[in-house]
Amino acid sequence: MSVDQTTVAKIASLARIKMSEDELARMAPELSQILDWVEQLGEVDTSQVEPMTAVIPNTLRLRDDVIDADPLTGGDRRDAVLANAPAAEHGFFGVPKVIE
Amino acid sequence: MSSYRIQGATGEWEVVIGLEVHAQVTSNAKLFSGASTEFGAEPNTQVSLIDAAMPGMLPVPNRECIRQAVRTGMAIEAVINRWSRFDRKNYFYADLPQGYQISQLYHPLVGEGSLTIEADEKAGIPQDKVIGVERIHVEQDAGKLMHDQHPTMSYVDLNRCGVALMEIVSRPDMRSPAEAGAYVRKLRTILRYVGSCDGNMEEGSMRADVNVSVRRPGEELGIRTETKNVNSVRFVMQTIEYEARRQVDLIEDGGTVVQETRLFDPNTGTTRSMRSKEDAHDYRYFPDPDLLPLELDDAFLEECRASLPELPDAKRRRYVEELGLSDYNAAVLTAEVETFARFETLLAETAKRLGKSEKDAATQVANWSLSVAPGVMNALGDEANPAHATAEAQAAILQMQTAGEISGGQAKEIFEIVLKTGREPAEIAETEGLKQQSDTGAIEAEIDKVLAANADKVEEYRGGKDKLFGFFVGQTMKATQGKANPAVVNELLKAKLG
Amino acid sequence: MTELTELGVKAIRDGVAAGDFTAREVAEAHNTAVAAGGALNAFIVTTPDHALAAAEKVDAARAAGKQLGAMAGVPIGMKDLFATQGVQTTAASHILEGFTPEYESTVSQNLWSAGAGMLGKLNLDQFAMGSSNETSYFGNVISPWRHKDGGNADLAPGGSSGGSSAVVAARIAPAATGTDTGGSIRQPAAFTGICGIKPTYGRCSRWGVVAFASSLDQAGPMARSVEDCAIMLGAMAGFDPKDSTSLDLPVPEWEANLSADLRGKKVGVPKEYRMEGTDPEILDSWERGKEWLRDAGAEVVDISLPHTKYALPAYYIIAPAEASSNLARYDGVRYGLRELPDGAGLQDMYAATRAAGFGDEVKRRILIGTYVLSAGFYDAYYNQAQRVRTLIARDFEKAWAQCDVILAPTTPTAAFALGDKMDDPLAMYLNDVFAVPASLAGLPAMSVPAMLNGNGLPLGLQLIGKAFDEQGVLNAGLAIQQRAAFDAQPEKWW
Ligand SMILES: [Mg+2]
Ligand SMILES: [Zn+2]
């Protein structure tokens, strides 16, 4: 088994998904099975191969430095930005108090 | 080498410092969205759907941000990587809507470069020192949390979220707080010359992550701590002093330094461990699949290079070598963009009016710019309107002074009136009677009177008491209410006294 | 007059333009079919008013003598992965329940601009993660198809575009949008006897589409004929400056250039797709496919794609890795579900919200993705997978020296019963074994129905083309369509 329950708990915490002991116990063998299976990739000799960067030959396009040229990508639309917020107050998003 | 040492109970310790400076790129819009970067707007008004990480939103990079980072790299003679990529740095925090920061880990835009900090004997920097810059990468800024507006909630403002930053990572080449301070100041100067960052530390346009470790001189590197987001040169220096002392004390007491993220408290000048970044060590960096590799072509790089201004070191050298200024004057005049800009405009205007080369006018203009003009301004305080201190007005004053029409004292008086009122210097000189007399006839008449009234002294002078010459000059000046051109007075007196 | 719900995209568009019926009549007929199709659970929300309003606009434009768009009068289903302004968009997840976007995805906007209307938001596997539409928070979609022996076990419509495949096969919608990350258009199309094409990566904008795996996600049409797919893809595709990976190329005239004449074309048959345990009926359909393409004038050649067997494991590293990061934004701060247990701090809120909001399969993939990217594992898993991906793309590159288009089965089996594979994630993943290689290489690929198996269930054939050559894929698909003459449809039981 490539991952035990403790490892799964660590990953779940890194991924910010709360999991009960039961869930962790259920998930560990499932993840192990999947990880054991994907490990067959280790068989492939890739020493001369670069990792894929762009699946279709294409390079990064750059945008002009213009403010609010398109409302879909610009700012100045606070109502739209806050419209679905579970807790919006005084123009802010509210979250439980954070101690830094 | 810096001889800065921490004196511990068990001996001397050396401090090793590396800085990661986050500099906000000067641009209208954010790195990946069209929202404005303007400082100080109402909360969440400068937030696009992209910055708020709405489902399905995608980043498209802003050319200007890339351009400014490349120009900055060129300014520190760094390697510009024609092929770079954006990576995602994954972590959860309320100021980071995407759950990741788009940054560059594996293939940064700018590679190895360096900058030089100048010798400063008083600060313990005996000679110029080259500080290595490992890399500059481009990344997104985070939003802002406010903790004191509500009893149980923190408020999130995403206005800054997605603003372009350059992270300028130094080599651990600094050995004292003074060197670190000089490095930040020099970097700030370069950024402001290039125009890639306004360098405004109060508004957070520049902040430093301060990496500090201590070791016995010459030994292996110690474990470092990283104090985040220190936002002034003074605080950077305080952080280093505090951290170095803390680490030395800790080690000497038998403890070990923990590699951790710390926070600087400006009120106490101390640092403390940052609880909120506890598990921030596993960022799961990977190439951002929303963005293709960034490839720069010759035309782009050529434009970046061609648009670079004369840089601080080159300018300072030119001021000394070509304009003949003193090292000190050259250093002061080139330290700030505004200073050299004002100086160069005034120099050009003055040289033009005098029909001289800039080299021949430089020393006079430098003296005026560095001591005379600031003296008058400071004395006036709030009464002075700096907007009136135009290059034209000041050049006009310098021209009258060079021509002997006004004295140095009159120049100051005229400039004072200019600053208060914005009136024309020539008109002031005329109406306020602030002109020297160069009319030999009138001056001769006054001299004759002075010599007649002091016949005994004339005798003494002729008998060999040379010192009395100054007395005759003074009397003549007094008689002309200081308006006589001293050069003319001298000449006439010499002739008359034989 | 034929039932309007029997008509496809082309027939509706042309009929509306000719005045044979009004767009409104078409919308009403389909709205009725939607209302009657509740048993399939294919819609998360229905939007009859959207369909009617779009239809009325088309009718008015026609009355005014204006030029009509390529989709004028065609009401479609919209996979609930596309953000639709003012209409709930959930990705079939509890975590987005109630989320009402203030924006419209580029692809859906393109469709509305072309004169289409929306019947509703279609159910799918949660965040498009699944191959049977059993991971939706809003319940399973039930395939309109049943075994011909009369057994009434509910069958999977395929996934993740299961709502899309179900409504198109059931004649509830003439067409629907799908998205394909590792087969999510082609596999459900094959399971339900319809056509679906995933275009070249970058053809359709990803802007406004809830992201699963960014380097793989592509939108595409699902419809009942190759022609309909060509028309609808033409309306969906196009350069979008808001998507950095969007192809800055003109959209070809796919519909106008359709041709089933394959003389001079070579069709490659990859030997590695003949896998152990593949259903003999699938192999049979493949043989027939070769015959049909030969009949259309093509030469069939054997080719090799040696890294095929590694495609699926590479996919199950890359896709979850990207997903683990793409789904980090669902945190209960700006939209969607928020779980705030008593005394919870910020990080507790994240963990509780994501625990309550994500389904099991989504969690599983986030955890795999988090694991393979975590410190110390990145190179061995993620980088190795991306290197293998390069090799897979290279395999195709080499194959194009020998052929113009590739023919393969779409799936290793026909549709299975709901529940059959839910407790074996690996068995479920294997469903996409034939679909994933083209996804990893960003190539256009299509599924067209070939025949019914012994159980009376559809089997699909897959055509994979060179990058940018959707036309070659569509043309080969058309040749098969004409010869397969597949006209079976599910018997209405809902
Ligand atoms: Mg840092
Ligand atoms: Zn940084």
Side-chain angles (χ1 to χ4, degrees), chain B residues 20-22 89 101 103 137-140 165-169 207 209 226 228 285:
Chain B
E20 295 161 28
V21 172
H22 285 94
K89 177 182 183 178
Q101 177 197 33
S103 179
H137 62 257
V138 178
E139 62 184 21
Q140 300 175 298
L165 302 177
M166 293 178 275
E167 182 171 332
I168 303 156
V169 183
R207 328 45 112 180
D209 295 345
E226 179 178 9
K228 290 269 187 199
Y285 276 101

Side-chain angles (χ1 to χ4, degrees), chain C residues 49-245:
Chain C
D49 293 342
H50 190 288
L52 289 176
E56 276 162 11
K57 248 169 87 181
V58 168
D59 288 335
R62 183 178 176 277
K66 287 187 193 148
Q67 177 90 36
L68 299 183
M71 294 287 291
V74 183
I76 59 167
M78 185 61 61
K79 187 176 182 178
D80 199 21
L81 205 60
F82 294 84
T84 43
Q85 188 165 11
V87 179
Q88 180 186 259
T89 300
T90 66
S93 183
H94 184 35
I95 210 158
L96 274 176
E97 197 170 6
F99 171 63
T100 309
E102 299 278 329
Y103 52 97
E104 186 77 37
S105 82
T106 301
V107 162
S108 55
Q109 184 56 55
N110 287 349
L111 286 164
W112 313 148
S113 302
M118 177 164 65
L119 296 166
K121 299 296 293 286
L122 292 162
N123 205 344
L124 64 147
D125 276 302
Q126 193 166 149
F127 283 103
M129 296 175 187
S131 304
S132 61
N133 217 119
E134 291 171 280
T135 69
S136 168
Y137 175 74
F138 301 96
N140 301 342
V141 175
I142 297 159
S143 174
W145 289 89
R146 297 221 153 142
H147 286 155
K148 81 169 179 200
D149 60 15
N152 56 4
D154 287 339
L155 298 180
S160 68
S161 310
S164 308
S165 64
V167 294
V168 175
R171 273 64 182 169
I172 290 170
T177 54
T179 62
D180 191 316
T181 303
S184 280
I185 287 175
R186 291 161 286 158
Q187 184 257 16
F191 273 18
T192 57
I194 65 167
C195 298
I197 181 167
K198 173 198 99 71
T200 308
Y201 181 79
R203 251 323 167 199
C204 289
S205 170
R206 294 184 295 112
W207 196 89
V209 187
V210 174
F212 164 12
S214 310
S215 74
L216 295 151
D217 296 345
Q218 260 302 288
M222 299 172 76
R224 293 191 292 266
S225 75
V226 173
E227 295 90 334
D228 287 0
C229 282
I231 294 168
M232 185 159 158
L233 180 59
M236 294 167 73
F239 173 60
D240 182 2
K242 300 191 294 304
D243 176 356
S244 296
T245 57

Side-chain angles (χ1 to χ4, degrees), chain A residues 16 39 43 46 49-50 61, chain C residues 243 310 347 381 387 390:
Chain A
R16 297 297 185 275
E39 272 160 21
E43 296 165 14
T46 56
V49 187
E50 287 298 313
R61 227 173 336 99
Chain C
D243 176 356
Y310 299 109
Q347 302 293 342
Y381 286 102
R387 288 178 206 273
T390 300

